[in-house]
Amino acid sequence: MKHFLKETDFKPREVAEVFELAREFKRKRGRHDPVLARQTWALIFAKASTRTRVSFEVGIHELGGHAIFLNKNDIHLGRSESLADTARVLSRFVHGLVVRTYAQSDVEELARYGSIPVINALTDLLHPCQIYTDAFTAAERWTGPRGSLLASLRGRKIAFLGDTRFNMANSWILGAALFGMKIVLAGPKGYEPGAQINTLLSAEGFTGVHQFTTDPYEAVAGADIVYTDVWASMGQEETAQQRILQMRPYAVTAKLFAAAKPDALFMHCLPAHPGEEVEQAVLDSPRSIVFDQAENRLHVQKAIVATLARQLQA
Ligand code: CP
Ligand code: NVA
C-alpha cells in the first residue's frame, strides 16, 4: 500500500504526474471525473486547521467522495484505543486516512497497521502536502500553461528564515532535495536542522542538500523564493516569547526581501503573524503568492488523493 507520509514517498516521475494532475484538476474544476465515487475518507486531526481541513473536505467532495472529520478528542484514539487498532478498525470502514498530529511515528504506525492509504496532513516533523503545493505554486509562476512544472524548479534557490528546526523547514529541506532545488536556512544559533531530518535525508541517499547560516542576508542573496513560517508552531506556545526575541533578526522585512533576486517570490504556509515573522507590506506585495498557495492546497491534495486512490481500484 502506498502512503504519503513524507515528500519522498513519490519518486520524481510520480511527483511530475501529481503536479500535472493538479494542474488539470485546477483547469477543470467542477468538470472532472468523480474518481472517488462511493469512497469515504476519514480526517483525524489532533491540532487546529483552517486550510488543510477545508481543502481536504472540499477536495474529497469534488472528487465524488465523502469525508468524515474526526477531532482526536471525539474518538478513542490515544485514550482507550491504540493507533494500531484504530487503523485496523477504520480500514474496515473507509478508503483512506488524512492525519494531522504531533509525532511522525504516529502516522507511520497508522500506515503500518491499516490497509488503506494514509496522508500526512502535518506532524511536528513534516508537512508534505504543504510543500508539494508550495512547489506547484512557484512552478505555476515559472512555466507557461504547458511547460513541465517539476522541471521549472530545478536549480532554483529557496531561502527559509526563522524557525529552521521544525516541520516547515524540515519539509522544505526534503522537498528541495527531491525537486533538485538549493536551500539555505537562516535562523538563530541552536536552531540548526535537527537529527531527525538529517537521518531521513541520509536514509533517502541525499547528501549536502542544505546550508544553515545565522545571517539572514546571506540566505536571501540570489534566492528565487523567500519563505517563512510562524516562530511558535502549534504545541510551542509556552516558548513563544523567547522565540520572538531570538528570531526577530530573521523577520522578512521589505529591506530583507529586497536583498533577494528582483523577481523573488514571497511565500508563507499561513497562518501568518504580520509584525512578527513577516512585515505586512511584504505579505501584501505583488510578489507575495501566499493566497495562491492556500488555494492550490485544494488542487494538489486532490491530485495526491486521486493518485493514492488508484491503487484501491487496481
Ligand atoms: N498551512 C496550513 O496547513 O494551514 P492550516 O493549519 O490552517 O491547515
Ligand atoms: N509550523 C506551523 C505550520 C502551520 C501550518 C505549525 O506547525 O503550527
Side-chain angles (χ1 to χ4, degrees):
M1 182 61 55
K2 197 171 179 69
H3 305 282
F4 186 61
L5 307 183
K6 55 184 186 300
E7 284 71 3
T8 43
D9 284 344
F10 288 123
K11 300 298 155 222
R13 183 183 47 78
E14 297 169 309
V15 178
E17 286 169 8
V18 166
F19 285 0
E20 297 308 327
L21 185 58
R23 181 191 251 169
E24 189 182 323
F25 280 148
K26 185 168 183 175
R27 201 174 52 235
K28 293 191 184 158
R29 190 164 177 202
R31 294 181 287 116
H32 50 67
D33 293 342
V35 296
L36 292 192
R38 289 179 297 283
Q39 287 197 17
T40 300
W41 283 55
L43 276 55
I44 304 176
F45 278 48
K47 295 182 181 179
S49 170
T50 300
R51 279 145 288 269
T52 310
R53 175 185 177 172
V54 175
S55 55
F56 267 109
E57 289 203 29
V58 171
I60 289 166
H61 171 73
E62 288 186 2
L63 290 172
H66 175 66
I68 304 177
F69 182 78
L70 301 166
N71 184 312
K72 196 174 166 229
N73 299 327
D74 297 337
I75 55 175
H76 294 292
L77 178 64
R79 269 192 314 240
S80 56
E81 194 155 28
S82 66
L83 284 158
D85 283 2
T86 303
R88 286 188 275 232
V89 169
L90 290 178
S91 294
R92 303 291 178 107
F93 297 132
V94 301
H95 299 86
L97 295 180
V98 177
V99 185
R100 169 168 285 200
T101 190
Y102 294 86
Q104 181 75 9
S105 57
D106 286 359
V107 290
E108 288 167 0
E109 203 168 328
L110 288 166
R112 189 158 56 246
Y113 288 98
S115 51
I116 50 175
V118 177
I119 295 178
N120 177 354
L122 181 146
T123 61
D124 289 352
L125 184 69
L126 298 171
H127 195 3
C129 293
Q130 181 73 54
I131 268 52
Y132 269 44
T133 305
D134 295 342
F136 173 88
T137 308
E140 260 189 331
R141 292 272 169 150
W142 293 331
T143 52
R146 269 177 290 279
S148 161
L149 292 160
L150 182 61
S152 76
L153 300 171
R154 211 157 294 139
R156 299 278 186 169
K157 176 181 173 183
I158 175 164
F160 191 101
L161 297 138
D163 184 0
T164 42
R165 208 181 159 83
F166 207 59
N167 48 18
M168 284 304 306
N170 290 339
S171 245
W172 252 116
I173 294 171
L174 196 55
L178 179 66
F179 308 139
M181 297 171 70
K182 290 178 231 148
I183 181 162
V184 181
L185 303 105
K189 212 167 170 330
Y191 283 85
E192 295 85 354
Q196 226 183 333
I197 186 63
N198 287 327
T199 305
L200 187 50
L201 286 170
S202 309
E204 297 286 343
F206 296 124
T207 48
V209 174
H210 58 290
Q211 273 171 260
F212 174 84
T213 173
T214 53
D215 178 356
Y217 283 89
E218 184 187 329
V220 302
D224 298 287
I225 297 173
V226 175
Y227 204 108
T228 192
D229 181 19
V230 290
W231 289 338
S233 287
M234 290 180 276
Q236 298 174 331
E237 291 78 6
E238 277 180 17
T239 54
Q241 283 315 312
Q242 174 201 329
R243 287 165 166 272
I244 288 172
L245 293 175
Q246 287 175 304
M247 294 183 191
R248 212 182 289 288
Y250 304 94
V252 183
T253 58
K255 184 171 167 235
L256 182 61
F257 189 40
K261 276 192 180 164
D263 57 353
L265 300 171
F266 172 73
M267 302 184 75
H268 192 308
C269 55
L270 304 180
H273 293 164
E276 291 186 13
E277 76 277 3
V278 58
E279 254 177 22
Q280 189 71 53
V282 175
L283 258 183
D284 295 340
S285 92
R287 284 188 283 123
S288 163
I289 57 169
V290 298
F291 296 109
D292 294 332
Q293 289 173 256
E295 178 196 326
N296 286 336
R297 297 292 301 279
L298 174 68
H299 312 301
V300 172
Q301 286 161 192
K302 280 166 75 174
I304 293 168
V305 169
T307 302
L308 293 177
R310 266 189 217 137
Q311 59 189 329
L312 302 172
Q313 288 140 8

